[in-house]
Amino acid sequence: MAERLIKWFTFSVGLMILPIILSLIFHETFKIDVNFNCYSSELLFIAVTLSATSIGDTYSLIQKGVKGIHLTIILGFLVFISLICIATYEIIDIGNALSISINTTMINILTFIGLFSSLTIGVLCQVFLEKIEGGNS
Amino acid sequence: MNTMIFILILVTVISTISIVVFILLSIKNKSYLSYQQKLIAFEERKKRIENEIEKERKGFRNDS
C-alpha cells in the first residue's frame, strides 16, 4: 500500500510541483513578492494531471473486466473534477481576453478546491485500487 | 460570471465530500473484495490461455 502511494506521490505530485518550488526559491532569492495568481495555471495543470493518472489506472482495471458501480462512480468523478479544473483555466483565460471583471479571490478559492479535490480523490482512488490489486499479488 | 464561479465552488465541495464519504464507506464495508475476485478470475483466465498457446506452440514444433 505505502509503496504504491509513495510511487504515485513521487512521480505525480513530486515532479509536477518541482517548477513551483523552483520558482518560490527564485522569488525568495531575489526578494520578489509571491502572488498566488501566478501559480493558478500551474496548480490547475497539476490537478488535471493527478486526475488523469487515476483515470488511467482505473480504466486499465476496467479493461481487465473488473467492472462495478464503485469504479464507475470514481471514474465519473475524476472526469468531473478534470472538467472543473479545465473550466477554471478557461474562465481565467476568457475573462482576461474579454476584459470581464472576475473576482480573483473566488477564482483562487476554486483553483485551490479543484487541486485539493483532485489530490484527495487521487489518494483515495489509489488506496481503493491497491486494495483490489493488492489481494491479487 | 462570479455567480457561476460560486456555483462551481459549491458543486465541487459538495460532490467531493460525498465521493470521499462514499469511497471511505466502500473501503470500510470491504466492497473491493468482489472486484478482487473478478481480477483473480481474469488473471487465471489469462494464465490458462497462455499455457494453452504455449502447449500448442510446443506441439507445432514437435510436428515440424
Side-chain angles (χ1 to χ4, degrees), chain A residues 64-81:
Chain A
K64 289 176 183 174
V66 186
K67 294 169 188 168
I69 189 75
H70 297 86
L71 289 180
T72 311
I73 289 173
I74 290 172
L75 191 70
F77 185 77
L78 287 167
V79 172
F80 168 76
I81 202 70

Side-chain angles (χ1 to χ4, degrees), chain A residues 64 66-71 73 77 80-81 84 91 102-103 106-107 110 113 117 120-121 128 131-133 135-136, chain B residues 1-2 4-6 8-9 11-13 15-16 19-20 22-24 26-27 31-32 35-36 38-40 42-43:
Chain A
K64 289 176 183 174
V66 186
K67 294 169 188 168
I69 189 75
H70 297 86
L71 289 180
I73 289 173
F77 185 77
F80 168 76
I81 202 70
I84 289 283
I91 287 169
I102 300 169
N103 192 337
M106 297 271 269
I107 280 288
L110 186 58
I113 286 171
S117 301
T120 312
I121 304 304
F128 195 73
K131 290 269 184 196
I132 296 170
E133 290 174 346
N136 191 33
Chain B
M1 191 66 114
N2 289 330
M4 196 183 86
I5 297 168
F6 180 72
L8 276 179
I9 290 172
V11 168
T12 313
V13 168
S15 53
T16 304
I19 198 90
V20 165
F22 174 74
I23 297 175
L24 288 176
S26 304
I27 292 171
S31 307
Y32 52 84
Y35 297 102
Q36 229 173 49
K38 284 178 187 173
L39 189 63
I40 289 167
F42 170 80
E43 294 295 344

Side-chain angles (χ1 to χ4, degrees), chain A residues 3-129:
Chain A
E3 193 188 328
R4 186 187 176 121
L5 280 177
I6 290 167
K7 206 184 279 179
W8 176 79
F9 197 83
T10 310
F11 293 118
S12 299
V13 185
L15 291 176
M16 291 293 295
I17 217 156
L18 214 59
I20 295 177
I21 293 170
L22 207 65
S23 172
L24 288 173
I25 290 169
F26 278 124
H27 274 75
E28 185 59 35
T29 310
F30 299 110
K31 304 283 177 221
I32 305 167
D33 289 335
V34 178
N35 195 352
F36 186 80
N37 297 333
C38 304
Y39 301 107
S40 54
S41 310
E42 182 71 25
L43 293 174
L44 288 169
F45 184 62
I46 292 173
V48 173
T49 311
L50 290 179
S51 297
T53 312
S54 296
I55 288 171
D57 290 344
T58 313
Y59 183 70
S60 69
L61 208 58
I62 289 172
Q63 263 191 326
K64 289 176 183 174
V66 186
K67 294 169 188 168
I69 189 75
H70 297 86
L71 289 180
T72 311
I73 289 173
I74 290 172
L75 191 70
F77 185 77
L78 287 167
V79 172
F80 168 76
I81 202 70
S82 306
L83 291 175
I84 289 283
C85 292
I86 292 164
T88 312
Y89 184 83
E90 284 304 316
I91 287 169
I92 299 168
D93 204 35
I94 289 171
N96 289 336
L98 298 176
S99 305
I100 299 169
S101 64
I102 300 169
N103 192 337
T104 331
T105 316
M106 297 271 269
I107 280 288
N108 289 344
I109 291 169
L110 186 58
T111 304
F112 181 76
I113 286 171
L115 180 68
F116 182 75
S117 301
S118 188
L119 195 66
T120 312
I121 304 304
V123 170
L124 284 175
C125 180
Q126 293 300 322
V127 169
F128 195 73
L129 295 184

Side-chain angles (χ1 to χ4, degrees), chain B residues 15-55:
Chain B
S15 53
T16 304
I17 291 167
S18 43
I19 198 90
V20 165
V21 171
F22 174 74
I23 297 175
L24 288 176
L25 279 176
S26 304
I27 292 171
K28 197 188 166 199
N29 295 334
K30 296 187 187 296
S31 307
Y32 52 84
L33 289 175
S34 61
Y35 297 102
Q36 229 173 49
Q37 295 302 317
K38 284 178 187 173
L39 189 63
I40 289 167
F42 170 80
E43 294 295 344
E44 279 173 359
R45 202 165 58 239
K46 191 179 158 189
K47 206 175 276 177
R48 203 181 62 234
I49 291 167
E50 276 175 1
N51 286 339
E52 279 174 15
I53 289 170
E54 189 61 32
K55 214 177 277 176

